[in-house]
Amino acid sequence: MAVAGIIAEYNPFHRGHAWQLAELRRQLGADTAVVVCMSGNFVQRGDFAIMNKHARAEAALLGGADLVLELPAPWSAAGAERFAQGGVALLAGSGVVTHLAFGSESGALEPLQAAADCLDGGAYPEALRRFSGAGVTFAAARQAAVRYLAGEAADCLSRPNDILAVEYLRALNARKSKMIPLALPRMGAGHDSGEAGEYSSASFLRERILSGRDVSRLLPGPSAAVLSRETEAGRAPVTWRTCQRAILYRLRTMSEEDFRLYDGGNEGLYHRFYAAVHTETAVEDILTAVKTRRYPMARLRRMMLQACLGVPQAGQGETPPYLRVLGAGERGRELLSRMRRSASLPVITRPGHIRRLDGEIQRIFDQEARCTELYTLAYPDLTQAAPESEYAAAPVMLRGTEKRRHAP
């Protein structure tokens, strides 16, 4: 049986993800199991997830996934390279995943692999220096260097899903992984498209949900039901705007040197952030004040989120030390049984037992628990924000049509 892994912010609201699962089973066989490595409560675009991770895991399972694993915040709220580095390490560490599947604008493996090989080639560093310069963004210089060395393969580096796909391939290469990459065409509107339709973009859906508009006809049925339940309970939709004062307090209590830790490019960006924090009175105004042509807004959002959480992005080569199970279906529980024998990382289903494990596992999990404390403060209904909820949260387990929350 093939076991396909998907690394994603995983938006169960996006019909494109449902299409990917169906396409995987069409290509690899109807009995293909799907493991989703999903961002936790904070996502790669530098934002709060619109619905908490266990509710999203439930929607993913109802939408066809078999097992959902969590990508912790140092990787989920990081740039594309670290996001891919963490996700590939988790899927490889499970010991059961045979294929790594991902959506991409190109939908073809060859140009993506050519770009990945170029970025890891010996000629790339010198080419990058050649095209770098004052006022040139890293992304522009990188694309120019790859175009110089590999021609049209550089086109992949101008499209968001292709960029992630290239990083997945680089991570596979670095690990010498035996997982087979599988590029699937991305369905529907562009990443930040404002168009409604069968495959509306995640950004479009997010904005509609946050504005209180009815999007049920644009969502897969199970996802719409979960969102409706969480909204009625006061746990969704979640946005940083709900706890803006807590964010501003955290940022204003940081010294200029504190901000340096989150300046991944070591380009002095932290000076701009510190100055903006002490002149502006709103999160959006801080980001606007820091923004220049050199720094894309997603990077600025990630830096601010990391500073607020006190969680810098993972370092080069650093990978998650455990496999946190957010949810499983019938076939997912079978995979869990196999993982307990084959995984190279500890499998966590009972967070309350985390303190029995080694110090690094405790450190990362405790860090994740602190992130959840801030996330729940953004719930529309603050009475739902129970403290220390991370240690009490068991995986979502689906048995047939009945949902139960308990560890296997």
Side-chain angles (χ1 to χ4, degrees), residues 253-276:
T253 58
M254 294 175 63
S255 70
E256 187 169 17
E257 193 62 25
D258 289 336
F259 276 98
R260 182 197 288 267
L261 180 63
Y262 308 99
D263 187 357
N266 295 315
E267 299 169 328
L269 178 58
Y270 71 98
H271 295 303
R272 296 181 61 85
F273 250 107
Y274 180 77

Side-chain angles (χ1 to χ4, degrees), residues 161-244:
N161 290 280
D162 277 354
I163 290 171
L164 268 175
V166 168
E167 295 300 340
Y168 295 150
L169 294 172
R170 294 182 69 197
L172 286 175
N173 291 343
R175 298 185 66 85
K176 296 181 173 56
S177 174
K178 295 181 179 180
M179 285 190 290
I180 301 169
L182 183 60
L184 302 173
R186 186 184 186 281
M187 299 298 290
H191 182 69
D192 288 317
S193 169
E195 301 175 5
E198 183 180 4
Y199 296 105
S200 299
S201 74
S203 297
F204 173 81
L205 293 171
R206 183 184 302 109
E207 290 307 312
R208 301 267 294 202
I209 293 169
L210 291 176
S211 66
R213 302 178 70 176
D214 181 16
V215 296
S216 56
R217 67 181 181 83
L218 301 175
L219 307 182
S223 295
V226 174
L227 175 62
S228 176
R229 183 198 68 208
E230 293 297 298
T231 299
E232 289 177 9
R235 294 187 295 267
V238 177
T239 169
W240 59 263
R241 294 175 180 85
T242 314
C243 64
Q244 179 170 218

Side-chain angles (χ1 to χ4, degrees), residues 324-347:
R324 168 79 181 284
V325 179
L326 294 179
E330 295 284 358
R331 188 157 44 186
R333 287 194 295 281
E334 295 175 9
L335 289 177
L336 276 176
S337 296
R338 290 173 53 190
M339 284 167 55
R340 295 186 191 285
R341 298 188 298 271
S342 63
S344 59
L345 297 171
V347 179

Side-chain angles (χ1 to χ4, degrees), residues 37-292:
C37 176
M38 187 185 77
S39 296
N41 288 326
F42 298 94
V43 297
Q44 203 258 336
R45 67 187 299 273
D47 207 344
F48 289 53
I50 204 165
M51 195 164 66
N52 75 64
K53 57 193 176 187
H54 284 91
R56 284 160 47 236
E58 179 186 349
L61 294 170
L62 290 170
D66 295 299
L67 180 66
V68 182
L69 304 175
E70 178 184 17
L71 184 62
W75 295 270
S76 72
E81 182 178 357
R82 302 296 193 269
F83 183 86
Q85 176 180 296
V88 169
L90 279 183
L91 293 177
S94 73
V96 299
V97 176
T98 59
H99 293 70
L100 174 63
F102 45 82
S104 70
E105 289 87 356
S106 65
L109 187 60
E110 185 176 355
L112 298 169
Q113 190 68 65
D117 292 344
C118 181
L119 289 170
D120 290 329
Y124 169 71
E126 179 57 36
L128 180 63
R129 285 191 290 270
R130 173 176 179 170
F131 291 99
S132 299
V136 179
T137 67
F138 172 76
R142 181 176 68 162
Q143 188 173 16
V146 173
R147 190 170 302 282
Y148 174 71
L149 296 170
E152 293 182 359
D155 293 345
C156 299
L157 300 179
S158 63
R159 300 181 290 257
N161 290 280
D162 277 354
I163 290 171
L164 268 175
V166 168
E167 295 300 340
Y168 295 150
L169 294 172
R170 294 182 69 197
L172 286 175
N173 291 343
R175 298 185 66 85
K176 296 181 173 56
S177 174
K178 295 181 179 180
M179 285 190 290
I180 301 169
L182 183 60
L184 302 173
R186 186 184 186 281
M187 299 298 290
H191 182 69
D192 288 317
S193 169
E195 301 175 5
E198 183 180 4
Y199 296 105
S200 299
S201 74
S203 297
F204 173 81
L205 293 171
R206 183 184 302 109
E207 290 307 312
R208 301 267 294 202
I209 293 169
L210 291 176
S211 66
R213 302 178 70 176
D214 181 16
V215 296
S216 56
R217 67 181 181 83
L218 301 175
L219 307 182
S223 295
V226 174
L227 175 62
S228 176
R229 183 198 68 208
E230 293 297 298
T231 299
E232 289 177 9
R235 294 187 295 267
V238 177
T239 169
W240 59 263
R241 294 175 180 85
T242 314
C243 64
Q244 179 170 218
R245 293 186 183 192
I247 295 172
L248 291 172
Y249 170 76
R250 162 65 179 163
L251 296 177
R252 289 183 182 183
T253 58
M254 294 175 63
S255 70
E256 187 169 17
E257 193 62 25
D258 289 336
F259 276 98
R260 182 197 288 267
L261 180 63
Y262 308 99
D263 187 357
N266 295 315
E267 299 169 328
L269 178 58
Y270 71 98
H271 295 303
R272 296 181 61 85
F273 250 107
Y274 180 77
V277 164
H278 289 276
T279 56
E280 306 299 335
T281 59
V283 168
E284 288 183 340
D285 293 340
I286 292 172
L287 293 171
T288 300
V290 177
K291 181 79 176 74
T292 69

Side-chain angles (χ1 to χ4, degrees), residues 8-27:
E9 292 188 353
Y10 200 80
N11 186 339
F13 307 135
H14 196 309
R15 292 182 185 274
H17 282 141
W19 179 88
Q20 283 185 12
L21 267 60
E23 179 63 11
L24 278 174
R25 292 182 170 118
R26 187 190 70 80
Q27 292 192 26

